[in-house]
Amino acid sequence: MREAVAPDLLGARDCIASKGGRLGLPLVLLRETDSTSEEAKRAAKQGAPHGATWAADLQTRGRGRQGRAWTSPRAEGLLFSVVLRGTKAWRYPETLPLVVGLAVRDVVSTRLSSRDVLLKWPNDVLVANKKVAGVLVEATRECYVVGVGINVSVRQFPPELEGRATSLALEGAEQLSRGALLADVLAALDRDVEHVASFGLGLIHGRLRAVDALYGKAVSGERGSGIARGLSEKGGLIVECDDGRVQEWSSGEVHLVTHL
Ligand code: BTN
């Protein structure tokens, strides 16, 4: 008999249906896969529609940004990827990581009501300076694939992440259901994504500013160093450089090292 997906993730179907949004349909729940983003990309080539979503209890080749691996013990993380189509009409697709990051941040924050949950540009979600969730946005010929990893009930991280990563459970959240979390993130994303990608960050600029982990902080990257001064309309990081010039950095061209 094939083993089933853990019950808390199985609940995602009902949670998504009750919200009536366009993301999360169809929904494929997997006990194990190489990577939900690879599942989504393979299916997108075969015509998977806008909103199609893959979530898994375990990934054997989970990927993070900048070629890093994303690992999570079985059923302890929310690991999912969603296909976004209709994107040719988008004028500001580069805002996508920020819209997704904000949606994830907002939902994480509802589970940790007494904590400050911040967004570190472009899309790391932080609690007490430790990363609780990450976002990987990939463009394919057909669509965008948005991959999200949230550390839900992880209590032990590999040595290289000790002190830099945390989870909802470690930060005090209780009665966590990955299915409900998934439905909430998809609904939050559905609310803002098309408007922001079409018209720029205006709609969410104030909300981003309020949770910007870098604002006023010293940052350094491939283009130099300076003080972070917020985000541009297109989603770039505005940096007042040490020599007084103001630059707009894009996440693609910098490897950011921050001193939070
Ligand atoms: C990062 O912070 O570096 C981004 C992490 C993104 C991880 C998620 S888990 C679900 C999806 N599948 C993957 O292989 N990666 C993303």
Side-chain angles (χ1 to χ4, degrees), residues 19-56:
K19 292 187 180 285
R22 291 163 308 162
L23 305 184
L25 299 169
L27 175 67
V28 181
L29 299 176
L30 300 162
R31 181 172 155 78
E32 189 168 320
T33 180
D34 52 353
S35 153
T36 55
S37 289
E38 291 307 313
E39 294 278 357
K41 282 197 253 176
R42 289 190 287 263
K45 277 202 187 115
Q46 309 298 318
H50 177 75
T53 299
W54 286 257

Side-chain angles (χ1 to χ4, degrees), residues 35-37 59 62-65 70 80-81 124 131 134-135 147-149:
S35 153
T36 55
S37 289
Q59 295 183 137
R63 290 180 295 104
R65 292 179 55 237
W70 183 271
F80 74 92
S81 301
D124 287 350
K131 182 160 164 173
V135 175
V148 175

Side-chain angles (χ1 to χ4, degrees), residues 199-212:
F199 300 107
L201 283 184
L203 181 74
I204 60 168
H205 207 269
R207 284 162 55 206
L208 281 169
R209 172 69 191 85
V211 298
D212 183 350

Side-chain angles (χ1 to χ4, degrees), residues 35-168:
S35 153
T36 55
S37 289
E38 291 307 313
E39 294 278 357
K41 282 197 253 176
R42 289 190 287 263
K45 277 202 187 115
Q46 309 298 318
H50 177 75
T53 299
W54 286 257
D57 278 340
L58 185 73
Q59 295 183 137
T60 52
R61 300 185 65 178
R63 290 180 295 104
R65 292 179 55 237
Q66 295 168 335
R68 288 188 288 257
W70 183 271
T71 57
S72 186
R74 179 179 292 282
E76 293 184 8
L78 174 59
L79 315 168
F80 74 92
S81 301
V82 54
V83 168
L84 299 181
R85 288 194 184 269
T87 57
K88 291 224 163 59
W90 288 358
R91 195 165 160 212
Y92 298 106
E94 59 276 32
T95 61
L96 201 45
L98 280 163
V99 194
V100 183
L102 186 62
V104 175
R105 193 236 65 110
D106 287 351
V107 172
V108 164
S109 172
T110 63
R111 298 333 195 247
L112 295 172
S113 46
S114 60
R115 312 296 308 270
D116 272 348
V117 184
L118 299 178
L119 186 60
K120 181 181 154 209
W121 179 86
N123 48 27
D124 287 350
V125 179
L126 306 181
V127 185
N129 283 348
K130 294 181 188 168
K131 182 160 164 173
V132 70
V135 175
L136 176 68
V137 175
E138 295 172 289
T140 75
R141 271 220 312 228
E142 299 87 16
C143 63
Y144 282 89
V145 170
V146 168
V148 175
I150 303 178
N151 298 325
V152 177
S153 54
V154 186
R155 290 196 176 269
Q156 198 145 25
F157 291 95
E160 65 275 17
L161 294 181
E162 265 323 312
R164 294 167 47 212
T166 189
S167 70
L168 293 174

